[in-house]
Amino acid sequence: MRHVTESLPSTSFTADQSGQVLYISPQWYAYTGMAPGADITAAWPQLIHPDDLPAVAEQYGAALAGGGPWRYEFRLHGADGQYRWFASQGVPEPLADAEAAGRPRQWFGSNLDVDDLKRAQQQLEEKDQLLTSILSSLPASVVTFEGEGLRYGFFNDTFQRRVQGRAMLGRPAGEVFPEAEAQGFLASLRGVLRTGEPYRGRRYPPRPATRARGSRGTCTWTWPTCPCATASSRPTPSSASPLT
């Protein structure tokens, strides 16, 4: 079993209920630069990023005290002087096994390097925030709908102002704007979902129910509508960008 754990990309270790590290695989020494035989129990808290240590100590201690598992992420200092993100999880052995062996209960844990994944997620979040900022600042209304129910997934400030604050994230468009359902506009959006083809060129003059109270004159909205790509295999949400 030790040969198997030492061939894995993650660091494997065992600890008893007092937190004493009984065994740790060579990956730990390779990453941290510690010498084999060093006191791991005393050293590992000093290698965790100070911002992460309180949460790690709390969750790890609670698992040992309560006889349960743990799962958390933290940054660990390496031999190169840099911190990398690791995902740690551990499970206790059955209490009956420890009692039968006449020794304290042990926990089997692993630390997996997830730094590349965390950085990729951070970059995606930053790009998403940038895109949201750009869309929110456009003078044109931009709105996305999710699924056949056409629930609002996103809308910018311009759209919300034009609909007098009626749009609500997560609510079906037909519930918020029943007049749009009656006029057949939402049916065209569902058509985009079913066919996956963009919908263009249709103009919808607003009815009295959709114009701002006290407004005069008429206006015409043009809605270029197209499907948005998603990670799921289900029908893609539609995106509509109305321009006046």
Side-chain angles (χ1 to χ4, degrees), residues 197-209:
E197 297 294 328
Y199 181 89
R200 301 174 182 174
R202 187 73 177 272
R203 294 180 179 271
Y204 289 87
R207 306 289 172 82

Side-chain angles (χ1 to χ4, degrees), residues 84-85 113-122:
R84 291 182 65 85
W85 281 99
D113 188 330
V114 295
D115 193 77
D116 292 341
L117 177 60
K118 292 283 289 189
R119 292 183 186 278
Q121 289 176 336
Q122 182 178 3

Side-chain angles (χ1 to χ4, degrees), residues 82-104:
Q82 303 298 314
Y83 284 96
R84 291 182 65 85
W85 281 99
F86 282 77
S88 181
Q89 60 181 355
V91 295
E93 69 173 328
L95 182 58
D97 290 356
E99 292 176 343
R103 54 169 172 75

Side-chain angles (χ1 to χ4, degrees), residues 14-22 60-68 92-93 95 98 103-107:
T14 59
D16 62 21
Q17 195 158 14
S18 69
Q20 181 73 28
V21 177
L22 306 175
Y60 182 62
L64 298 181
E93 69 173 328
L95 182 58
R103 54 169 172 75
R105 196 176 194 182
Q106 296 180 358
W107 273 252

Side-chain angles (χ1 to χ4, degrees), residues 5-227:
T5 60
E6 293 181 355
S7 67
L8 297 175
S10 59
T11 298
S12 303
F13 62 95
T14 59
D16 62 21
Q17 195 158 14
S18 69
Q20 181 73 28
V21 177
L22 306 175
Y23 163 78
I24 196 163
S25 62
Q27 293 91 328
W28 170 269
Y29 302 107
Y31 175 78
T32 64
M34 291 183 62
D39 188 350
I40 306 298
T41 303
W44 72 258
Q46 302 174 30
L47 297 176
I48 292 180
H49 194 286
D51 292 345
D52 303 332
L53 182 57
V56 169
E58 179 182 358
Q59 295 180 53
Y60 182 62
L64 298 181
W70 74 75
R71 183 189 296 270
Y72 47 73
E73 294 181 350
F74 63 94
R75 285 163 288 183
L76 185 65
H77 193 271
D80 60 357
Q82 303 298 314
Y83 284 96
R84 291 182 65 85
W85 281 99
F86 282 77
S88 181
Q89 60 181 355
V91 295
E93 69 173 328
L95 182 58
D97 290 356
E99 292 176 343
R103 54 169 172 75
R105 196 176 194 182
Q106 296 180 358
W107 273 252
F108 305 100
S110 66
N111 295 333
L112 178 64
D113 188 330
V114 295
D115 193 77
D116 292 341
L117 177 60
K118 292 283 289 189
R119 292 183 186 278
Q121 289 176 336
Q122 182 178 3
Q123 291 176 357
L124 288 175
E125 290 173 359
E126 291 174 351
K127 289 181 180 179
D128 184 65
Q129 292 173 359
L130 177 60
L131 178 59
T132 299
S133 177
I134 293 173
L135 294 178
S136 296
S137 64
L138 290 177
S141 297
V142 179
V143 56
T144 64
F145 302 97
E146 299 176 350
E148 286 286 340
L150 298 179
R151 296 181 181 275
Y152 283 101
F154 169 83
F155 49 79
N156 65 357
D157 294 339
T158 303
F159 177 80
Q160 185 70 312
R161 286 195 300 270
R162 285 178 175 169
V163 299
Q164 300 178 282
R166 293 170 62 187
M168 299 177 63
L169 290 176
R171 287 283 303 280
E175 293 182 6
V176 181
F177 296 100
E179 61 269 28
E181 189 76 81
Q183 293 173 26
F185 172 63
L186 299 187
S188 69
L189 295 185
R190 295 188 184 95
V192 173
L193 283 173
R194 286 192 295 270
T195 65
E197 297 294 328
Y199 181 89
R200 301 174 182 174
R202 187 73 177 272
R203 294 180 179 271
Y204 289 87
R207 306 289 172 82
T210 64
R211 288 204 298 264
R213 294 180 180 178
S215 64
R216 296 182 178 180
T218 61
C219 63
T220 301
W221 286 21
T222 301
W223 292 74
T225 308
C226 62

